[in-house]
Amino acid sequence: MAPGNLTQVTEFIFMGITDLPELQVPLFFVFLVIYGLTVVGNLGTITLTSVDPRLQTPMYFFLRHLAIINLGNSTIIAPKMLVNFLAKKKTISYYCCVAQLGGFLVFMVAEIFILASMAYDLYVAICNPLLYMVVVSRQICLLLVSLTYLFSLTTALTVSSCVFSMWYCSSNVINHFYCDNVSLLALSCSDTYIPETASFTFSGANLFFSMIIVIVSYFNVVLTILRIQSSEGRQKAFSTCASHMMAVTVFYGTLLFMYLQPRTNHSLDTDKMASVFYTLVIPMLNLRIYSLRNKDVKDALKRFLSNPSKLLNLI
């Protein structure tokens, strides 16, 4: 119900990352480069892991879907953000805001559980190598990815429905560069207890269960590596795992900082900086961590560049 005779807003206005005019164009080019690298890199990863016969393993199956998710998450945010750097009035329509929040939640929740699946895959590969192709079969991989997308879609529909069931009438200025549920709820002139509870519950549950999988998997991986007799073997294994662990730590740490604080302790300006990191920077960093540092991927890229038609004919 609308409070009093106030009118529901039909569009929102973003405050953006900064309101300093002299920074708009430089930031446009900075984020254009970041987004361009993200698009090219993740499309390359998707292509290579799809067409190269030597990359048809569970590890690269999950890597392909991580690339799809990173590409989707950046694309939900970056194009509108880039346009707004050059626009005089940084607006988004009500229904485009609904779509942006929903898409953002789909890809963020999907990334949480894809990273957990990748941690489980690494655990089986190192701790139970003889059972690897049985425990992480193609059917299991498809099931894990299907459940990931199904649950992320369910979460997005539930949370975004709660957020946009509120009445937005006191202000339509969002202190952010995209439609984020925390920033939107700060504008609502309705009682926000239910959507806040839904957001907190889903965020907490998703992070808790996925982090349990990640922590247990990596704990067992480290224990197994420490039992390796060869110092060269231990060093090689730790080198591989360290990159994965760093990427996971940064991603989960940022989300914990963002969403598991009481609303009264939230600084929206600080949240904006953290959001830049996990919506735009991390998808670019994942490219380097999971792909460019990977010998198999680099070899596949060389094969593809030397004879792209041969690999494409295998699709």
Side-chain angles (χ1 to χ4, degrees):
M1 294 291 292
N5 56 0
L6 297 177
T7 304
Q8 173 76 308
V9 300
T10 58
E11 68 175 15
F12 294 99
I13 300 172
F14 293 125
M15 291 182 66
I17 293 177
T18 177
D19 57 358
L20 297 175
E22 64 271 19
L23 292 180
Q24 301 302 310
V25 173
L27 285 175
F28 169 82
F29 285 108
V30 168
F31 287 108
L32 180 63
V33 170
I34 291 174
Y35 180 57
L37 290 174
T38 301
V39 170
V40 172
N42 284 292
L43 282 176
T45 299
I46 294 166
T47 302
L48 288 177
T49 55
S50 298
V51 304
D52 193 290
R54 300 185 193 182
L55 300 183
Q56 304 307 306
T57 65
M59 173 184 172
Y60 296 108
F61 175 80
F62 291 125
L63 181 60
R64 182 189 316 148
H65 284 277
L66 178 64
I68 292 170
I69 290 164
N70 283 162
L71 180 61
N73 200 16
S74 293
T75 302
I76 285 289
I77 304 299
K80 185 63 178 174
M81 175 186 176
L82 291 171
V83 169
N84 284 339
F85 276 125
L86 305 179
K88 290 184 178 179
K89 192 176 182 183
K90 309 178 194 322
T91 61
I92 185 170
S93 72
Y94 181 88
Y95 292 106
C96 285
C97 191
V98 174
Q100 189 179 60
L101 175 62
F104 165 74
L105 291 172
V106 166
F107 290 116
M108 285 302 298
V109 175
E111 183 163 359
I112 287 171
F113 286 102
I114 282 293
L115 288 174
S117 298
M118 293 175 74
Y120 174 71
D121 173 70
L122 184 65
Y123 156 74
V124 177
I126 292 180
C127 301
N128 296 288
L130 297 179
L131 297 175
Y132 181 69
M133 295 311 296
V134 176
V135 176
V136 193
S137 64
R138 180 165 180 79
Q139 289 77 13
I140 295 297
C141 291
L142 288 171
L143 177 63
L144 288 173
V145 168
S146 298
L147 290 175
T148 291
Y149 287 126
L150 178 62
F151 187 71
S152 63
L153 182 61
T154 302
T155 301
L157 289 173
T158 303
V159 174
S160 58
S161 296
C162 288
V163 170
F164 284 99
S165 68
M166 300 295 96
W167 198 259
Y168 295 93
C169 48
S170 58
S171 173
N172 66 338
V173 179
I174 299 176
N175 187 13
H176 220 306
F177 58 90
Y178 70 95
C179 291
D180 172 69
N181 55 325
V182 175
S183 302
L184 284 165
L185 289 175
L187 299 181
S188 178
C189 50
S190 304
D191 181 4
T192 59
Y193 176 77
I194 292 177
E196 279 186 346
T197 302
S199 296
F200 184 86
T201 300
F202 274 98
S203 299
N206 292 342
L207 286 172
F208 176 77
F209 288 115
S210 60
M211 283 182 67
I212 288 296
I213 296 170
V214 169
I215 291 170
V216 171
S217 296
Y218 282 129
F219 179 76
N220 283 283
V221 165
V222 170
L223 288 181
T224 301
I225 292 174
L226 290 174
R227 296 192 191 104
I228 297 175
Q229 299 297 318
S230 165
S231 59
E232 183 180 348
R234 284 199 304 271
Q235 185 176 359
K236 183 178 179 181
F238 269 125
S239 177
T240 301
C241 295
S243 297
H244 289 235
M245 290 180 186
M246 180 175 63
V248 167
T249 300
V250 170
F251 180 77
Y252 280 97
T254 306
L255 287 184
L256 285 170
F257 170 76
M258 278 284 294
Y259 288 106
L260 293 186
Q261 304 177 65
R263 180 176 171 181
T264 53
N265 292 340
H266 255 88
S267 167
L268 293 178
D269 289 331
T270 304
D271 283 357
K272 281 193 284 186
M273 296 303 102
S275 298
V276 167
F277 200 72
Y278 69 71
T279 59
L280 299 169
V281 177
I282 286 179
M284 183 184 67
L285 291 179
N286 282 345
L287 170 67
R288 172 170 173 74
I289 292 169
Y290 290 108
S291 298
L292 297 181
R293 289 171 58 91
N294 186 298
K295 184 177 182 299
D296 292 337
V297 174
K298 287 190 284 189
D299 291 343
L301 179 60
K302 292 176 184 177
R303 290 193 297 272
F304 182 81
L305 294 176
S306 63
N307 194 355
S309 59
K310 181 179 178 181
L311 287 177
L312 289 173
N313 287 335
L314 295 174
I315 299 179

